[in-house]
Amino acid sequence: QVQLVESGGGLVQAGGSLRLSCAASGTIFNINLMAWYRQAPGKQRELVASISSGGSTNYADSVKGRFTVSRDSAQKWVYLQMNSLNPEDTAVYYCNADIQHSFGLAYKNYWGRGTQVTVSS
């Protein structure tokens, strides 16, 4: 099947930076949209940033100008560069992707298990 594995989370002081990575592996023919979501304690999961296979990006208002989403040329990695972090960014960050297993098949949506980001004040 398919796995999405996140890495790069950790503890950082306010104003610091982290770079999250997500690798997609398994039976993959094509990946369309890749995205990062986050979920803070007691809150709903929310979209942080997304990037299409063509490179179009979308950001939550709360992270615009601070976070940058990107993909590698092979289209199986997605990254989230997070700068000027503040305590409100503390959450579990999840990778999400729409994946086609074979030509002509419908895309299926997958989630990673998440990586914890903690920003101390």
Side-chain angles (χ1 to χ4, degrees):
Q1 273 288 6
V2 166
Q3 274 193 319
L4 298 177
V5 180
E6 303 98 336
S7 60
L11 174 64
V12 64
Q13 287 189 331
S17 298
L18 282 174
R19 187 183 191 229
L20 305 183
S21 301
C22 172
S25 63
T27 305
I28 298 171
F29 176 75
N30 193 32
I31 302 178
N32 191 8
L33 195 71
M34 300 187 83
W36 289 96
Y37 286 74
R38 67 186 181 187
Q39 188 166 18
K43 295 187 177 181
Q44 288 190 330
R45 192 172 296 188
E46 63 174 356
L47 176 67
V48 176
S50 65
I51 182 166
S52 71
S53 57
S56 297
T57 57
N58 182 48
Y59 295 93
D61 288 343
S62 59
V63 306
K64 281 180 181 176
R66 300 188 298 123
F67 290 11
T68 302
V69 62
S70 61
R71 289 172 75 156
D72 74 317
S73 59
Q75 301 283 314
K76 291 186 178 179
W77 286 79
V78 63
Y79 307 97
L80 186 68
Q81 177 66 43
M82 305 185 294
N83 298 326
S84 302
L85 285 160
N86 59 62
E88 290 70 38
D89 296 315
T90 294
V92 177
Y93 284 70
Y94 296 92
C95 179
N96 180 271
D98 292 329
I99 296 174
Q100 187 184 36
H101 293 291
S102 182
F103 177 77
L105 294 182
Y107 285 82
K108 295 183 179 180
N109 188 257
Y110 290 89
W111 290 92
R113 292 190 173 186
T115 185
Q116 177 71 47
V117 171
T118 303
V119 184
S120 63
S121 57

